[in-house]
Amino acid sequence: KMLKLGTDDALVEKLGALAAQVVEEALASGLAWDQAITAFGIASKAIALKAASQGNGTPEQCVAHAQGRLQFGMEHSADVLKAWLS
């Protein structure tokens, strides 16, 4: 597997499917690639703040965790998406 997230095939499948959907939406949005990346950052912060409001930590803790997870995702190969995007 290109996406090294452990042995949970269902998790890898869900992450790949969601990532492929996000890529397709970004490509169809009319935004420049770097503008789309900015939108992903904004969306990530919104998800983190929602998690904080649901008791998963303080807003600062959840945003910091989200930033770490974004970096973790950037460290993986995008080749895993070829199955969904072809």
Side-chain angles (χ1 to χ4, degrees), residues 3-79:
L3 194 61
K4 294 174 178 62
L5 299 168
T7 58
D8 188 343
D9 289 340
L11 175 61
V12 172
E13 185 77 16
K14 286 180 184 180
L15 289 170
L18 178 59
Q21 180 182 352
V22 169
V23 170
E24 287 175 347
E25 290 289 328
L27 293 174
S29 72
L31 293 171
W33 73 269
D34 58 333
Q35 293 169 329
I37 297 297
T38 299
F40 298 153
I42 294 166
S44 299
K45 188 170 187 176
I47 292 168
L49 293 174
K50 181 66 173 179
S53 76
Q54 294 174 336
N56 290 292
T58 67
E60 294 80 12
Q61 289 169 329
C62 291
V63 168
H65 186 68
Q67 289 172 325
R69 295 302 284 182
L70 284 169
Q71 184 59 44
F72 179 75
M74 290 289 293
E75 293 167 0
H76 287 81
S77 172
D79 289 345

